Amino acid sequence: ATSVIPTAKVSFGVMNNTIVHNNSSRNGLQLPGAGAGVGIFAPFPGTAAAGNVVSDNDLNNNGLPGVTMHNHAAAPAPAPPINLNDNVITGNRISGNAADTEDAATSGPTGINVFSVAPITGTVISQNVFENEAIDVAFNAPLGQVNVHLNDFNNRAIGVDNLGTGTVDATENWWGCALGPLSKRCASATGPNVVFTPWLLFPF
């Protein structure tokens, strides 16, 4: 049997929206692997979920990460490329959410998970406050970069977990203590290509 990857003939999707001032709590608890606090998805070639802003939301105790960004399939030309770029996640309070699952799996409860089999650029994660997560920000993409700045990480968590070969610019964050991610007292940075110097000496 052969599998066929769905392909859109023209790029379409969800773009340039603002998700603001919501309380998203306890979604998807009756079905494992369901229920993000906020989901941003571009599932197959030709789809787009770009230029969206997720701001000033309370994202707590959901069945997937508080903010879940996924792309699961990329196809060679002439299929249109995936566009999961230029999204902004800022000023949210994120706590107690679950791990991601299947191909986008994270190793524990996760605040924000950005997963793609295609490169991602232009995504900004800034001024979020994390509590009660094992992983505050997870990133998994083969190329591209996510910009993670001015966040307050939980000092009992992995602040940034890079699961792919893309780059995380994680400078100017509060890692739960003034000693930064090199100290066992602070949140940690794991995986390749994570830049975290300099860090904040106080919560943002």
Side-chain angles (χ1 to χ4, degrees):
T2 59
S3 60
V4 177
I5 298 174
T7 301
K9 297 185 183 303
V10 295
S11 184
F12 67 97
V14 178
M15 294 169 281
N16 303 320
N17 296 281
T18 299
I19 301 97
V20 64
H21 306 323
N22 298 286
N23 185 344
S24 184
S25 180
R26 302 184 62 80
N27 292 309
L29 298 186
Q30 295 185 6
L31 180 65
V38 174
I40 300 174
F41 306 116
F44 57 86
T47 54
N52 300 294
V53 176
V54 180
S55 180
D56 192 26
N57 300 285
D58 291 292
L59 309 173
N60 306 309
N61 303 310
N62 294 290
L64 285 172
V67 179
T68 305
M69 290 178 57
H70 287 179
N71 152 242
H72 299 280
I82 281 289
N83 185 354
L84 194 59
N85 300 324
D86 303 319
N87 294 291
V88 176
I89 304 165
T90 183
N92 302 284
R93 295 155 299 281
I94 302 174
S95 175
N97 299 286
D100 217 328
T101 59
E102 300 181 359
D103 59 338
T106 57
S107 61
T110 303
I112 297 172
N113 186 30
V114 180
F115 172 85
S116 179
V117 299
I120 293 179
T121 61
T123 291
V124 175
I125 298 171
S126 179
Q127 300 180 46
N128 302 286
V129 176
F130 298 89
E131 295 180 351
N132 195 27
E133 305 285 5
I135 303 164
D136 292 334
V137 176
F139 179 56
N140 191 342
L143 291 169
Q145 178 172 304
V146 64
N147 300 291
V148 182
H149 306 298
L150 301 176
N151 299 282
D152 285 356
F153 297 137
N154 174 5
N155 68 348
R156 295 182 297 277
I158 298 172
V160 173
D161 190 9
N162 190 4
L163 300 167
T165 55
T167 299
V168 181
D169 182 349
T171 56
E172 301 290 352
N173 291 290
W174 169 250
W175 297 82
C177 78
L179 299 177
L182 298 177
S183 170
K184 292 182 180 179
R185 299 179 184 178
C186 296
S188 61
T190 61
N193 305 324
V194 179
V195 180
F196 52 75
T197 305
W199 55 78
L200 298 181
L201 299 180
F202 303 94
F204 80 87

